[in-house]
Amino acid sequence: MKNKKQFFTTPIYYVNAKPHLGHAYTSIAADVATRFKQMDGNETFFLTGTDEHGDKIVQAAEKQKTTPKEYADKISQLFQDLLPVLNVKNNYFVRTTDLDHIKVVESVLSKIYDSGDIYFSSYEGLYCFGCERFYQERELVDGKCPDHGVAPEVIKESNYFFKMSKYQEWLIDHIKTNPDFIRPAQYKNELLSFLKEPLEDLCISRPKSRLTWGITLPFDDDYVTYVWFDALVNYISALGYPDGDLFNKFWSSTRHFVAKDIIKPHGIYWPIMLKAAGIEIYNGLNVHGFWNVKGSKMSKSVGNVTDPIRVTDVYGLDQFRYFLMREMVFGLDANFTEETIVSRINSDLANDLGNLFSRILSMNHRYFAGEVKGPDTKIEKEKNLSLASDAKKAIDGFKQAMALCEFHKGVGAIWQFISTMNKYIDKNEPWALAKDDVNIPILETVLYNLIEGLRVVSCLIYPIMPQTSLKMQCTLCMAKEENEFYTLKEIDSWGQIQKGTVIAKPDILFPRIDTDKIKPNEPVKQIKSFKPALKEEISIDDFAKIDLRTGTIIKAEKIEKSNKLLKLKVDLGAETRQVIAGIAKDYSPKEMIGKQVIVVANLKEATLMGEISQGMILAASHKKGLVLSGFDKKIAPGNLIK
Ligand SMILES: [Zn+2]
């Protein structure tokens, strides 16, 4: 039974630039958290998407001589394509240019406007075009925007303002009475200290004279909505607010994942918007730090943006996911260098886990031909050989840490157990036990405990390294058919690997990385999508309607007046057909004779250039032309292809 619900979101990513390491981290962190919640018996929903309106998108599109929509489509696609590359399993991908989203933004704006919390006023202020927002004098550093290092311009215009100040006391109280609202605690304190100063009302419109790429205000056609007021609403529009099933089911269990630079919109604007619109406040905010690349904050201008596709390509996907979760203390900044990732892979993955796995299973092969021998419980007790309590400790530590998104501690709990198992081998020396028949029951007990330990490890690493988890479980003959993970409850009881199970020989889990072989600027493998686009899905029944047969070409000639078509006689066993094929540019009549091909035998007769065609032969098309399909062995004509 699944009573517990969990809704996780990443921020919707702004399409002003291609995805980088920071985006990959947030998406993977939310994916790991979601997979963990599933193991913990929750029904989950995981949302990500793209934020597509505003000045910056217009500017970026102009640079590429395209329209904002075309530009947004292109970059949004890159974000969508990245998800399967990172093995991130979102339930939905929202775009702020979606019509459904736009409707919800309009309805939330109308609601707040009708309640009197939006007013029209003229305003003169310091505006940073890079940030698309007005700045207070006190927020500037040496008179310059802290993010862009340029002096903001003085702009005077009439706009719509949202009465945030009215809700300041309410928000302070909400944060204080819900200690879990913002995690980790340092960000809660940061927000509370910011809220000690009076809160300015938020300018939520941009005049169309300056910007048209946005959602028109439902109460004034001359203005579009400020991009944050539009973007934040994605979290409810994607769930089908106000009365969608998903909204009813998941909204109250919402936790947003954000990086620390967008804590104000998420921790201040958003709860106040919800409050003003009479919508339940989300459950909480998980705030993470930045990845520093070679010691400085990642940014496009510094030119140190790390391409996540390249990293997974060079080091492996699970290795990358492991590194991100292990290296960053959630909430603090972390350093990304290729040296640290290589050292994590070689020591934590290849040495600690990979070696453990292959050592244990190789010994089990050497001594027992792969068969799992049961533990002798008496010997186990006498010699204190059980690993059950260490496993329990790992499971509990993992569960506690992961529930708070303390991923590095969750990983730490697993690796503590791995280290215990490695020491257990050194202490009990199975190779010495194997030398004397008297000690065989002890050896059996030792190896059983180690194999059980591997079972527990294979289950616990699932959220972080799903592929490796599955690989280990296939080797241990315990992969589930119906599901790709074991719940925490299922993992817990010790002694699940059955006596008599024959375990396959281990594969290498993590090859060691030889740094000399990595070229730092090797070209990156691009994500490929189908071109032309993949056709609509069909059922097996649809496919079964096509009658494909083996055929042999017995005669071929050119068709006059056509430089494309060949007239073929095809032996189909039961009959001979005439087929007109558009392959004259790629194949001469002479080379066609005797070829074995695939024929669509139940295609409706057609007439081409005055000649009857009774079927079609299959060929692959590529840039330079066509290549006939065929067989790798000689086969008689007329056989069915399925
Ligand atoms: Zn700025």
Side-chain angles (χ1 to χ4, degrees), residues 128-133 135 145-150:
C128 172
F129 281 88
C131 298
E132 297 179 21
R133 57 164 280 205
Y135 270 94
C145 163
D147 287 348
H148 292 92
V150 290

Side-chain angles (χ1 to χ4, degrees), residues 260-461:
K260 65 182 183 182
D261 57 337
I262 50 173
I263 180 175
K264 270 185 216 165
H266 283 85
I268 296 177
Y269 307 172
W270 183 222
I272 293 182
M273 283 164 66
L274 290 165
K275 177 77 178 164
I279 303 167
E280 185 185 355
I281 312 306
Y282 62 86
N283 181 270
L285 204 57
N286 300 330
V287 187
H288 69 76
F290 288 143
W291 281 98
N292 297 319
V293 175
K294 291 185 185 123
S296 66
K297 185 192 156 192
M298 216 168 25
S299 77
K300 234 173 55 163
S301 50
V302 180
N304 56 5
V305 178
T306 304
D307 184 336
I309 299 172
R310 177 179 181 270
V311 183
T312 52
D313 216 28
V314 174
Y315 299 109
L317 171 59
D318 273 5
Q319 287 87 334
F320 180 47
R321 289 174 62 108
Y322 171 83
F323 173 78
L324 294 180
M325 294 303 107
R326 178 65 189 83
E327 193 68 17
M328 178 175 266
V329 175
F330 194 85
L332 303 180
D333 291 355
N335 289 315
F336 186 95
T337 63
E338 304 215 65
E339 291 77 29
T340 43
I341 187 168
V342 168
S343 130
R344 283 277 176 211
I345 292 170
N346 286 346
S347 87
D348 301 8
L349 296 179
N351 267 355
D352 296 350
L353 174 56
N355 265 350
L356 179 72
F357 184 70
S358 90
R359 265 173 109 185
I360 294 170
L361 298 187
S362 300
M363 285 192 286
N364 200 52
H365 258 273
R366 199 171 313 133
Y367 306 136
F368 305 125
E371 187 182 335
V372 177
K373 305 287 187 175
D376 182 320
T377 42
K378 197 165 149 246
I379 292 175
E380 192 175 73
K381 225 176 189 170
E382 269 173 20
K383 300 201 172 283
N384 195 21
L385 288 175
S386 176
L387 282 167
S389 67
D390 298 288
K392 176 89 180 121
K393 205 171 121 193
I395 296 168
D396 291 347
F398 172 78
K399 185 178 171 178
Q400 241 174 42
M402 296 297 283
L404 296 171
C405 296
E406 293 177 336
F407 304 118
H408 67 290
K409 282 190 189 166
V411 172
I414 307 172
W415 255 255
Q416 178 66 49
F417 183 45
I418 289 172
S419 148
T420 303
M421 287 167 73
N422 272 318
K423 284 182 196 142
Y424 178 97
I425 296 178
D426 296 342
K427 184 177 155 218
N428 291 298
E429 299 184 316
W431 50 90
L433 294 170
K435 282 182 186 153
D436 192 338
D437 282 353
V438 180
N439 290 329
I440 295 302
I442 306 177
L443 177 63
E444 288 176 353
T445 305
V446 164
L447 281 180
Y448 183 83
N449 271 278
L450 288 167
I451 292 169
E452 260 295 287
L454 289 179
R455 173 188 67 81
V456 172
V457 170
S458 79
C459 295
L460 294 181
I461 62 170

Side-chain angles (χ1 to χ4, degrees), residues 55 119-129 132-135 153-161 202-212 217 220 222-227:
D55 277 341
Y119 62 91
F120 191 64
S121 167
S122 138
Y123 183 83
E124 188 177 77
L126 298 163
Y127 191 83
C128 172
F129 281 88
E132 297 179 21
R133 57 164 280 205
F134 286 102
Y135 270 94
E153 289 175 40
V154 178
I155 285 191
K156 186 178 178 178
E157 62 188 23
S158 295
N159 264 311
Y160 287 88
F161 289 83
L202 183 68
C203 176
I204 57 141
S205 63
R206 297 291 181 266
K208 281 193 180 166
S209 55
R210 184 147 66 75
L211 174 72
T212 54
L217 291 181
D220 192 335
D222 293 335
Y223 289 85
V224 295
T225 312
Y226 170 48
V227 67

Side-chain angles (χ1 to χ4, degrees), residues 591-617:
E591 65 181 317
M592 287 300 290
I593 310 288
K595 273 209 187 305
Q596 299 202 292
V597 292
I598 299 175
V599 182
V600 184
N602 63 338
L603 193 69
K604 214 171 168 180
E605 230 177 64
T607 308
L608 292 162
M609 300 288 284
E611 298 279 356
I612 288 175
S613 185
Q614 307 161 301
M616 181 198 276
I617 61 169

Side-chain angles (χ1 to χ4, degrees), residues 559-565 580 606-612:
I559 292 184
E560 277 187 53
K561 286 181 265 169
S562 169
N563 54 1
K564 240 179 96 187
L565 298 176
I580 309 300
T607 308
L608 292 162
M609 300 288 284
E611 298 279 356
I612 288 175

